[in-house]
Amino acid sequence: GETAGAAGRGVGPGFSPGETNHSVETCGASARAFLQSRQYGEVEPAYYQVNFGMGTFNCVPVQDGVRLYPDLIKVQVSLETGQVVGVEANNYRRNHVQRDFAAARMEPEEAVALAPSLEISSTRLALIPHYSQEILCYELRGTADGQEYLVYLNAETGAAEEILQVVVEEEGEAVV
């Protein structure tokens, strides 16, 4: 699903050479620069999909090092021209406010210790949507039994809020 599912997909494999004029990486950088030039502040590309010569880049605003998945912005870039052709920022407009992350939370090492079966490749703080509220979590990305996962642990309680399997495809990355 795509509840917190909007969460942390890293940019996946590059597009095959010769298929387009611009690489996925170049188009992702164009998407980010476009948002920054329009005062969206700090954003990180989370994941992307490629279809019909277009790259759709899901960009996540960042505040105090925390990814704000409820504020996700989608930017569509032409792989032929490298130009931004569309922006969908409804979630950003509806949800984006300055948040207070001062509440006590566990250390990253404590979160990692709660997922002993996961061979972790990255740990970061992320705010995820959960029904009608938002939960500050540690986003752990890693592998178990040859599969890649994203595990969202409540940064205060350590409870597993969401576990997603990452599926890497030629068109980009998806979660299930």
Side-chain angles (χ1 to χ4, degrees), residues 24-114:
V24 169
E25 290 78 11
T26 301
C27 290
S30 293
R32 188 176 183 183
F34 179 88
L35 292 177
Q36 289 175 331
S37 73
R38 281 153 181 81
Q39 315 309 312
Y40 282 96
E42 184 184 355
V43 297
E44 292 180 358
Y47 59 106
Y48 71 89
Q49 291 288 306
V50 172
N51 289 302
F52 307 110
M54 295 287 173
T56 301
F57 297 88
N58 294 275
C59 298
V60 184
V62 178
Q63 178 200 318
D64 302 326
V66 179
R67 282 185 164 198
L68 307 175
Y69 287 111
D71 303 3
L72 187 79
I73 306 164
K74 294 183 180 191
V75 182
Q76 200 169 40
V77 181
S78 165
L79 294 170
E80 183 181 340
T81 66
Q83 298 296 308
V84 172
V85 295
V87 176
E88 194 276 286
N90 292 337
N91 288 334
Y92 181 90
R93 289 192 194 100
R94 187 171 37 248
N95 300 318
H96 192 67
V97 293
Q98 190 75 10
R99 277 114 166 157
D100 179 6
F101 296 122
R105 59 179 175 249
M106 68 178 71
E107 293 300 314
E109 298 76 23
E110 295 174 272
V112 167
L114 292 171

Side-chain angles (χ1 to χ4, degrees), residues 103-145:
R105 59 179 175 249
M106 68 178 71
E107 293 300 314
E109 298 76 23
E110 295 174 272
V112 167
L114 292 171
S117 60
L118 198 63
E119 189 177 317
I120 295 171
S121 58
S122 71
T123 304
R124 64 170 52 108
L125 282 167
L127 192 68
I128 65 168
H130 190 73
Y131 299 105
S132 61
Q133 59 183 353
E134 298 176 339
I135 301 173
L136 183 63
C137 291
Y138 279 102
E139 175 188 275
L140 308 179
R141 184 175 181 139
T143 55
D145 299 324

